[in-house]
Amino acid sequence: MPRYMPITGIDCTPATLLIDTEAPLDVLFETADYRIRTVTQLLENIAFRSDISSDTVVLSDFCKMMTIALRDGCDVMDVIGRRLRLQAAE
């Protein structure tokens, strides 16, 4: 596994947003947890405000923003999974 992996949402070369695959597992976990928890909180906020009308453009923008954070969190979780599989194989 390469030392630095680009996040999947960026398609430019060279990539500038990278995950350090050799970072401590607890740091990787906290990074993924933070991003996923942020998305969860925003979704809960939107879900519990059903009485307030929301513009579809605003909701679309929120969804795009949440997708980026969720994808980043999933990418970091993927690195954690790869690291754990490598450790188990050793």
Side-chain angles (χ1 to χ4, degrees):
M1 178 168 34
R3 167 82 193 257
Y4 298 102
M5 286 181 48
I7 60 172
T8 57
I10 306 296
D11 291 331
C12 53
T13 304
T16 57
L17 293 174
L18 306 167
I19 301 167
D20 182 354
T21 63
E22 295 178 14
L25 288 175
D26 63 325
V27 172
L28 289 170
F29 180 79
E30 287 177 27
T31 301
D33 181 63
Y34 178 76
R35 282 165 173 70
I36 294 169
R37 196 171 302 278
T38 299
V39 173
T40 303
Q41 289 173 350
L42 283 168
L43 285 170
E44 287 174 349
N45 188 303
I46 292 170
F48 292 122
R49 295 184 181 263
S50 60
D51 56 331
I52 299 173
S53 65
S54 298
D55 185 357
T56 56
V57 173
V58 172
L59 288 177
S60 176
D61 289 343
F62 268 127
C63 289
K64 289 175 187 175
M65 188 265 317
M66 287 185 282
T67 301
I68 292 167
L70 188 57
R71 184 179 296 128
D72 290 355
C74 290
D75 287 348
V76 176
M77 292 298 287
D78 180 54
V79 168
I80 292 170
R82 290 178 189 206
R83 288 262 308 270
L84 292 175
R85 283 191 294 277
L86 284 174
Q87 287 178 356
E90 291 177 352

